[in-house]
Amino acid sequence: MKRTQIGIVGAGPAGLMLSHLLARAGIDSTVLERRSRSWIEARVRAGLLEHGSVDLLERTGLGTRMAALALRHRGIEISSGGQRHHIDFTEMTGGRGVTVYAQHEVVKDLATARLGAGGDVRFEMEGVRLEDIEGPEPRLVWPGGTLACDFIVGCDGYHGVSRASIPPSALTLFHREFSYAWLGLLAEAPPFQDELIYARHEAGFALFSMRSPALTRAYVQCRAGEDPENWPAEMLWDELDRRLGVRLNRGPLLLKSVTPMRAFVAEPMRYGRLFLAGDAAHIVPPTGAKGMNLAFADVVVLARALARYYRDGDEAGLDAYSETCLARVWKVQRFSMWMTRLLHRDPAHDEFEQRLQGAELDYVLDSHAAQRMLAENYTGLPLDLEGV
Ligand code: RFL
Ligand code: PHB
């Protein structure tokens, strides 16, 4: 039977970054990914990197393309009542900012690094199952193969197979569903300005973002389960302009799709010899731009704990993995929920709730302390990269 030290399910940002960090620590891993390499490298998802994620990529030799392609931002704009306000993160945090660099570019950099270093990343692996995760030698099994592992890490996203392999009685699941979602577009149109705009509007939330000097990314709040076909391109552009209070540059759409909003946490993030990381363990609503960053924070903790285990035979880091990660996960969940509730129009809310929401946003826009809280969280809570 084939063996590896760490079997990783899923080649998203979490799985590939973990494999990369383990290789740097001299630990063997095999990544099994259900989709093709071209699929994972083309999948349009996140766009914003926290300060700590940028450090992580640079420190581990993945900064070259990012340095050439990424856009550095000092802050964001918030639009309320038709007026735009700039929040300067760099000033509030003593020099931090955020970086626009598409998730699929990060995934390309990671896949190139792993495969270039002779890493074992296998694509189009359908039907992967986890066996004996409670025993001393868990296995990854698929039609035609078996891989014995010291540990398995489930990095296979919200719909993956890893979390589903844990007996339901061993997990506590926390869920929030939303009655609204985001309808997003990606268009061949130069961003009309440098900074992002988050808009609170009576018709619903809107967000102006970008992927590159040539690509605009933008979202409007819509009903959960909305059919994108109900939104012809012109109508979507008009609605964005109306809610954002600007005139975006328009261009051909490369993508138009609905992203469901969800908040979810599975506790604990370990069962026997299986660890969960990234979206497999938690989802935050996208308003704070946190999901990929949180996935990186998990695997930094796990890679360090595994290095300690293989170096000193010390399991303390592995035992503390879930608790260490969950402390950050809940803080990031709090922030993402706060941003979501601050800016979206909740159809279930009466006038009283809407007045409170308006007052909260006014307070944020007037208060240095509140803006600092926003800046600290948005640019990213401290990420310990010691030993990485
Ligand atoms: P992923 O990226 O979902 O990767 C999981 C991988 O596992 C594979 N897989 C399997 N492989 C083998 N066997 C199976 N049975 C498998 N089942 C699944 C999948 O094919 C896939 O390749 O999870 P990971 O690595 O944890 O990464 C999480 C991030 O992708 C996610 O949190 C972010 O995209 C969230 N997010 C954002 N995060 C940010 O940090 N900043 C942002 O600006 C940001 N914006 C966003 C976002 C997510 C969005 N959507 C589409 C949900 C904007 C949007 C619109
Ligand atoms: C994006 O560019 O896709 C994006 C930006 C900010 C967010 C969420 C998504 O809060």
Side-chain angles (χ1 to χ4, degrees):
M1 196 188 325
K2 287 252 164 50
R3 280 204 61 84
T4 185
Q5 289 176 297
I6 312 298
I8 299 173
V9 190
L16 288 172
M17 179 58 86
L18 178 62
S19 177
H20 178 64
L21 296 178
L22 292 175
R24 288 169 58 82
I27 301 168
D28 239 28
S29 66
T30 293
V31 183
L32 304 183
E33 165 60 48
R34 188 159 59 107
R35 305 285 193 152
S36 65
R37 181 173 179 189
S38 54
W39 189 89
I40 62 156
E41 291 186 350
R43 185 181 181 211
V44 174
R45 290 199 108 195
L48 252 83
L49 294 175
E50 291 177 356
H51 186 86
S53 300
V54 171
D55 278 356
L56 172 66
L57 291 165
E58 283 173 348
R59 222 184 232 246
T60 63
L62 297 166
T64 313
R65 284 179 72 247
M66 181 173 65
L69 299 175
L71 309 170
R72 315 270 170 184
H73 286 195
R74 283 185 70 90
I76 56 169
E77 288 187 356
I78 295 187
S79 164
S80 169
Q83 291 225 324
R84 273 148 59 209
H85 308 257
H86 186 247
I87 302 192
D88 191 324
F89 296 153
T90 305
E91 183 195 308
M92 303 267 161
T93 59
R96 293 185 163 211
V98 286
T99 297
V100 173
Y101 187 54
Q103 176 167 328
H104 66 270
E105 302 294 352
V106 176
V107 165
K108 272 188 217 166
D109 294 341
L110 280 163
T112 305
R114 284 314 294 129
L115 294 165
D120 189 7
V121 184
R122 305 186 200 175
F123 295 100
E124 299 179 60
M125 298 291 292
E126 276 295 343
V128 171
R129 285 181 294 114
L130 288 73
E131 287 187 354
D132 252 345
I133 49 179
E134 281 164 273
E137 192 179 81
R139 288 182 305 282
L140 290 171
V141 179
W142 62 94
T146 300
L147 185 66
C149 314
D150 294 345
F151 298 97
I152 295 176
V153 187
C155 297
D156 46 351
Y158 181 71
H159 299 287
V161 70
S162 301
R163 194 181 66 249
S165 310
I166 301 176
S169 61
L171 281 182
T172 306
L173 306 181
F174 299 88
H175 263 290
R176 276 284 173 281
E177 298 292 333
F178 296 83
S179 61
Y180 46 84
W182 284 11
L183 173 64
L185 65 71
L186 179 70
E188 273 177 300
F192 91 105
Q193 69 167 29
D194 287 346
E195 305 243 279
L196 273 65
I197 306 174
Y198 288 82
R200 174 179 186 256
H201 188 276
E202 59 190 20
F205 171 74
L207 170 61
F208 160 73
S209 180
M210 65 205 67
R211 282 294 177 276
S212 73
L215 293 176
T216 291
R217 180 86 164 127
Y219 304 89
V220 291
Q221 177 184 343
C222 63
R223 282 180 298 112
E226 178 77 66
D227 180 354
E229 292 309 307
N230 292 337
W231 289 75
E234 284 310 301
M235 183 172 137
L236 185 47
W237 286 115
D238 288 346
E239 192 60 14
L240 279 163
D241 283 355
R242 182 166 83 98
R243 294 191 196 178
L244 292 162
V246 299
R247 206 157 154 72
L248 298 182
N249 292 326
R250 299 186 180 190
L253 298 198
L254 300 172
L255 183 80
K256 182 177 64 169
S257 63
V258 170
T259 302
M261 301 271 280
R262 159 178 305 128
F264 167 76
V265 182
E267 290 189 3
M269 289 168 59
R270 174 185 188 173
Y271 178 74
R273 294 198 155 234
L274 168 65
F275 295 90
L276 299 177
D279 279 14
H282 40 72
I283 301 279
V284 293
T287 325
K290 290 285 166 230
M292 174 170 55
N293 295 292
L294 200 50
F296 283 161
D298 288 349
V299 299
V300 164
V301 174
L302 187 54
R304 190 185 295 118
L306 286 166
R308 184 169 161 191
Y309 170 78
Y310 283 110
R311 194 183 53 233
D312 308 328
D314 179 354
E315 296 200 24
L318 295 177
D319 291 342
Y321 169 73
S322 178
E323 203 183 325
T324 307
C325 289
L326 285 168
R328 185 185 189 95
V329 167
W330 279 109
K331 284 185 197 151
V332 172
Q333 191 68 269
R334 179 205 76 83
F335 174 69
S336 303
M337 291 295 291
W338 177 79
M339 283 278 282
T340 302
R341 289 175 171 150
L342 184 68
L343 296 167
H344 288 75
R345 175 79 190 250
D346 188 332
H349 278 176
D350 60 12
E351 288 277 333
F352 185 87
E353 294 291 341
Q354 285 171 36
R355 292 282 199 285
L356 285 181
Q357 186 193 43
E360 174 136 21
L361 187 50
D362 279 351
Y363 170 68
V364 170
L365 297 175
D366 287 343
S367 157
H368 194 80
Q371 287 185 24
R372 219 176 128 190
M373 184 284 282
L374 170 57
E376 269 177 13
N377 282 276
Y378 197 98
T379 57
L381 298 172
L383 180 65
D384 178 6
L385 294 178
E386 184 67 39
V388 161

